[in-house]
């Protein structure tokens, strides 16, 4: 133990005058009395006040000396040498991902991590500062990091782990931005070690503090639905990250009612798939759950929203395109009619008309998909120009539901038409020479435009083509469509497109809390997706009547958070860091707050003892 201000120990000399005061006697006037029988107490007091009398045991004297001793030690600021991850001002990144909910340590990894952060805070010196960044789907900096350590400690204790992964790019960028310009950055990453093998670079010195360490876990890593020939079907993938085989009970509930339960044997470090082909025809929400007492419970349940298949009458206006006919005809519940370019279009109401390299004057009622249009229909607000060959793709809107799972990275296009979209169009794929795919949404119709002919590209030969066709038809047909993604990761932003009649949009999260969105001219974004479960999106008109109701699920997927075993080594930028090897520095843990508190307690006891003696006539 050492002292930061040892000169303060000289205050201990104040004990001398305290003792001297107790040894001195008050001088009194002598008075003759007839008898001393009634004055025994006065005589004892006279003897006690005799000058330089030998000290006797006195409680008040002991308490006053004890308080002086504690105050003196507090002023001297004693400290204990201890190992700390960092010395001086630092940034702590606290991993708050779903894997931190694992309970292989008591009470959980996250609680152990919070204790580790508090120990780092306690080990800081007087002039040191600590900023804490919470790593999650949306990283945040704790406000208490501005200098108030007690406020920061309260914020740390109130933290809860998230139910998703971590955006490490945003987290590291926020941590670097929290350091003042010119200040040397020191970072401590407090985590369970269940990290990606490669993390972004981080300036300055980086150290690790790890909690947990077990890897036994069983999780539902995939839950998906599709429309089969006889109705909805489901696929459940159960992954075992343990060293021994397991046989959990897998339960499936359709629309809240238990539908199926079965035991599934899953080998060690492997996965097993469960396929259910006889779900109820009206299944909208599917929940899968496993009964397993593993370390991490948050991934033992998953949800999926089943969107009914697209349906409607589709007219293909084309000189002949086998790939397009097969892609459209293969969609379930689509009634396809094909006509050639010669002659008028057949009479009848079609929900969707696909114009392949032909356009017949005015667009009919319904939605339309134009492929390499030779001219622009008058009501489309399009302008069709000359072909261009600068078809190298420069931008793809991968977040749009129309392009989900559609890979454009290797699509080769010989030429495309220069089609100028209207101002309110959403360009999904952009080439050097102009748009390749864009969509337009109006209150009365939807329009999609592919500016190149299919035979001028290798798109029909790729898996991306049937997926693009299904997504486009799914968006264009009025029945059975949903603009919302079926499932997203926790913390992801979801775009909500208002119905033309909508005046109010209400989102109900899994806990039952309502979130209102203001309807405007632009697409709305809902970002409060931190809870796992199903979110219901309802749209109401001005009279309060519901005009549309959709749902999407928030669920863990892929198993990144379910694989809770720590890695042996991670790569932070160009630096390889061994997991579990903590580089420690010699720190100081000051004891003065405890000593000052004990001095206050001693002072209170001394006051109580004095008042008690004065009240009952008891000598200290």
């Amino acid at each position: 133990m050492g002292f930061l201000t040892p000169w303060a120990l000289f205050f201990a000399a104040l004990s001398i005058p305290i003792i001297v005061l107790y040894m001195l006697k008050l001088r009194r006037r002598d008075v003759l009395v007839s008898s001393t029988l009634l004055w025994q107490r006065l005589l004892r007091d006279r003897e006690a006040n005799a000058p330089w009398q030998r000290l006797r045991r006195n409680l008040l004297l002991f308490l006053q000396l004890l308080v002086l001793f504690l105050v003196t030690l507090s002023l001297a600021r004693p400290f204990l040498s201890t190992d700390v991850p960092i010395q001086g001002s630092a940034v702590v990144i606290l991993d708050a991902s779903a894997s931190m909910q694992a309970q292989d340590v008591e009470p959980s990894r996250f609680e152990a991590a919070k204790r580790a952060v508090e120990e780092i805070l306690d080990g800081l010196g007087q002039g040191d500062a600590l900023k804490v960044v919470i790593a999650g789907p949306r990283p945040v900096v704790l406000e208490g990091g501005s200098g108030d350590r007690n406020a920061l400690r309260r914020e740390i204790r109130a933290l809860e782990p998230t139910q998703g992964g971590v955006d490490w790019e945003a987290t590291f960028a926020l941590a670097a931005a929290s350091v003042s310009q010119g200040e040397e950055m020191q970072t401590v990453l407090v985590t369970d070690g269940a990290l990606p093998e490669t993390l972004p670079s981080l300036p300055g010195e980086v150290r690790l503090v790890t909690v947990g360490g077990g890897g036994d876990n069983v999780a539902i890593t995939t839950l998906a639905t599709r429309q089969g020939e006889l109705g909805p079907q489901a696929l459940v993938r159960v992954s075992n990250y343990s060293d021994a085989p397991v046989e959990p009970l897998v339960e499936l509930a359709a629309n809240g009612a238990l539908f199926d339960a079965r035991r599934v044997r899953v080998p060690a470090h492997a996965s097993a798939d469960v396929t259910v082909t006889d779900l109820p025809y009206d299944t909208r929400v599917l929940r899968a759950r496993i009964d397993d007492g593993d370390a991490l419970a948050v991934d033992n349940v998953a949800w999926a929203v089943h969107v009914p298949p697209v349906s409607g009458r589709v007219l293909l206006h084309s000189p002949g395109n086998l790939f397009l006919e097969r892609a459209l005809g293969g969609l379930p519940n689509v009634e396809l009619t094909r006509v050639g370019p010669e002659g008028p279009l057949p009479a009848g109401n079609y929900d969707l008309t696909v114009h392949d390299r032909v356009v017949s004057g005015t667009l009919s009622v319904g939605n339309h998909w134009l492929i390499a249009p030779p001219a622009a229909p008058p009501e489309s607000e399009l302008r069709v120009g000359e072909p261009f060959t600068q078809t190298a793709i420069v931008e793809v809107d991968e977040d749009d539901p129309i392009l989900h799972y559609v890979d454009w990275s290797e699509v080769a296009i010989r030429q495309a038409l220069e089609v100028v979209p209207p101002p309110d169009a959403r360009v999904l794929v952009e080439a050097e020479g102009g748009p390749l795919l864009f969509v337009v949404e109006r209150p009365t119709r939807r329009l999609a435009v592919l500016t190149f002919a299919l035979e001028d590209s290798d798109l029909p030969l790729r898996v991306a083509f049937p997926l693009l066709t299904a997504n486009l038809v799914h968006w264009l047909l009025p029945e059975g469509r949903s603009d919302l993604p079926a499932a997203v990761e926790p913390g992801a932003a979801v775009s909500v497109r208002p119905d033309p009649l909508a005046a109010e949009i209400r989102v109900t999260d899994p806990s039952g809390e309502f979130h209102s969105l203001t309807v405007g001219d632009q697409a709305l974004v809902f970002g409060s997706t931190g809870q796992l479960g199903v979110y219901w999106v309802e749209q109401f008109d001005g009279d309060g009547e519901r005009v549309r109701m959709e749902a999407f699920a928030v669920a863990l997927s892929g198993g990144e958070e379910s694989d809770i075993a720590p890695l042996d080594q991670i790569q932070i930028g160009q630096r390889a860091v061994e997991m579990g090897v903590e580089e420690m520095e010699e720190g100081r843990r000051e004891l003065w707050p405890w000593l000052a508190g004990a001095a206050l307690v001693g002072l209170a006891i001394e006051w109580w003892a004095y008042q008690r003696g004065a009240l009952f006539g008891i000598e200290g």
Side-chain angles (χ1 to χ4, degrees):
M1 185 175 71
F3 297 92
L4 295 180
T5 55
W7 56 266
L9 294 175
F10 288 107
F11 283 102
L14 293 175
S15 60
I16 298 175
I18 294 177
I19 296 174
V20 169
L21 289 175
Y22 270 89
M23 296 177 64
L24 290 176
K25 175 198 170 189
L26 294 176
R27 299 185 178 274
R28 300 184 184 275
R29 182 168 56 91
D30 293 336
V31 177
L32 293 176
V33 296
S34 60
S35 174
T36 59
L37 179 63
L38 302 177
W39 299 87
Q40 295 300 319
R41 182 179 176 186
L42 178 61
L43 293 176
R44 289 197 303 269
D45 181 66
R46 182 172 179 272
E47 293 173 359
N49 286 279
W52 308 112
Q53 183 180 351
R54 184 174 58 90
L55 285 175
R56 294 182 300 170
R57 288 184 300 176
N58 191 297
L59 177 60
L60 295 179
L61 174 62
F62 170 76
L63 290 174
Q64 291 171 5
L65 292 177
L66 177 62
V67 170
L68 177 62
F69 173 73
L70 293 174
V71 171
T72 301
L73 282 183
S74 300
L75 294 175
R77 294 177 60 188
F79 65 87
L80 295 176
S81 298
T82 180
D83 291 336
V84 294
I86 209 76
Q87 185 69 26
S89 301
V91 177
V92 169
I93 299 177
L94 175 57
D95 186 355
S97 60
S99 65
M100 295 291 285
Q101 298 186 38
Q103 297 179 343
D104 53 339
V105 294
E106 292 293 339
S108 69
R109 292 183 177 183
F110 192 68
E111 292 300 321
K114 291 198 301 184
R115 290 196 298 267
V117 176
E118 287 195 61
E119 290 177 2
I120 296 174
L121 181 61
D122 295 338
L124 294 178
Q126 188 68 23
D128 298 338
L130 185 70
K131 296 181 180 179
V132 180
V133 178
I134 308 304
R138 296 178 181 178
V140 296
V141 178
L142 294 188
E143 294 296 330
S146 59
D148 189 344
R149 295 188 182 180
N150 290 328
L152 180 58
R153 186 176 285 104
R154 288 193 297 269
E155 288 189 60
I156 293 172
R157 292 174 180 175
L159 288 173
E160 296 291 338
T162 65
Q163 295 186 334
V166 175
D167 186 344
W168 290 109
E169 288 278 359
T171 298
F172 282 14
L174 186 60
S178 65
V179 179
S180 302
Q181 188 173 6
E183 182 180 358
E184 183 180 355
M185 183 171 180
Q186 298 182 88
T187 306
V188 181
L189 177 56
V190 183
T191 177
D192 60 353
L195 303 171
E197 293 185 0
T198 302
L199 292 176
S201 61
L202 197 61
E205 185 180 6
V206 182
R207 299 191 178 186
L208 293 178
V209 173
T210 56
V211 296
D216 291 345
N217 187 39
V218 182
I220 297 177
T221 53
T222 300
L223 177 62
T225 65
R226 69 176 185 179
Q227 188 69 20
E229 296 181 358
L230 301 179
Q233 300 177 352
L235 171 67
V236 185
R237 176 165 296 168
V238 181
S239 300
N240 179 17
Y241 298 95
S242 307
D243 296 328
V246 295
E247 195 170 347
L249 177 67
V250 180
E251 299 178 348
L252 282 176
N255 299 331
L258 183 63
F259 175 75
D260 188 284
R262 65 183 72 178
R263 291 281 179 183
V264 179
R265 180 172 177 80
V266 189
H269 299 287
S271 299
D273 293 340
V274 178
T275 303
V276 181
T277 60
D278 56 347
L279 289 173
Y281 74 94
D282 60 345
T283 297
R284 187 72 186 275
V285 175
L286 188 66
R287 185 196 68 200
R289 182 169 58 189
I290 57 176
D291 182 14
D292 189 88
D294 55 8
L296 186 63
V298 69
D299 56 6
N300 290 350
V301 61
W303 292 265
V305 174
H306 178 69
V307 180
V310 295
S311 61
R313 303 182 64 201
V314 178
L315 176 65
L316 175 58
H317 187 201
S318 171
N321 193 320
L322 182 60
F323 292 105
L324 189 57
E325 288 185 41
R326 288 184 175 179
L328 292 171
L331 297 176
N333 300 326
V334 168
E335 182 183 344
L336 181 63
T337 302
R338 188 184 74 83
V339 296
E342 64 281 351
L345 296 179
N349 293 326
Y350 290 93
D351 299 317
L352 172 61
T353 303
V354 181
H355 305 269
D356 178 27
R357 295 165 289 166
V358 293
V359 173
S360 58
T362 303
L363 297 178
S364 59
V365 177
N367 299 323
H368 296 264
W369 179 11
L370 307 182
I371 300 177
E379 68 273 39
S380 66
E381 301 182 24
L382 304 178
R383 287 186 294 146
V384 179
E386 299 298 323
F388 65 87
T389 57
Q390 295 82 17
T391 57
I393 296 175
V394 295
E395 186 174 357
V396 177
D397 187 1
E398 298 178 349
D399 296 330
D400 195 285
I402 295 177
L403 297 186
H404 276 182
Y405 310 112
V406 180
D407 184 9
W408 288 84
S409 59
E410 297 182 359
V411 175
I413 303 170
R414 184 173 65 88
Q415 68 174 12
L417 290 173
E418 183 182 355
V419 182
V420 179
D424 57 346
R426 294 185 353 247
V427 178
L428 305 182
V429 183
E430 180 91 19
E432 294 178 356
L436 298 178
L437 174 63
F438 61 87
V439 295
V440 183
E441 184 174 7
R442 300 287 168 78
T444 56
R445 65 160 51 98
R446 290 186 172 189
L447 175 68
V449 179
L450 190 69
T451 63
F452 60 91
L454 295 177
E455 61 267 23
D456 288 336
S457 72
D458 62 353
L459 178 62
L461 304 178
R462 299 187 177 277
V463 178
F465 179 64
L467 292 175
L468 175 64
T469 303
N471 291 347
L472 272 174
V473 173
H474 183 78
W475 181 78
L476 289 165
L477 282 178
E479 298 296 331
R481 74 163 192 265
S482 175
D483 292 329
L484 300 176
V488 298
E489 291 286 334
V494 176
S495 178
V496 179
R497 301 193 181 279
D499 189 271
L501 300 177
E504 178 189 1
I505 298 179
R506 181 185 301 168
V507 182
T508 307
D509 64 25
S511 67
E513 183 179 353
F514 295 106
H515 305 263
S516 295
L517 302 180
T518 303
V519 178
D521 297 332
Q522 303 297 326
L524 306 177
V525 176
F526 178 73
S528 301
T529 58
Q531 302 179 52
L532 300 179
V534 177
Y535 293 70
W536 293 96
V537 181
E538 300 173 281
Q539 303 193 30
F540 301 89
D541 60 16
D543 298 328
E545 296 291 331
R546 190 170 64 194
V547 297
R548 194 169 180 181
M549 184 174 183
E550 301 171 287
F552 66 91
V554 174
L556 293 171
S557 63
E560 289 83 359
E561 291 300 316
S562 299
D563 189 0
I564 62 175
L567 299 175
D568 295 331
Q569 178 178 290
I570 60 172
Q571 192 81 18
I572 301 180
Q574 300 298 320
R575 176 187 176 185
V577 181
E578 295 290 335
M579 192 62 63
V581 179
E582 301 176 7
E583 301 177 15
M584 308 297 286
E585 290 188 359
E586 182 179 348
R588 297 171 179 176
R589 178 167 298 178
E590 294 193 41
L591 304 177
W592 73 263
W594 302 98
L595 295 172
L600 289 175
V601 173
L603 190 62
I605 295 175
E606 192 269 344
W607 176 85
W608 173 82
Y610 175 79
Q611 295 295 330
R612 178 173 175 268
L615 181 62
F616 296 102
I618 301 174
E619 186 177 0

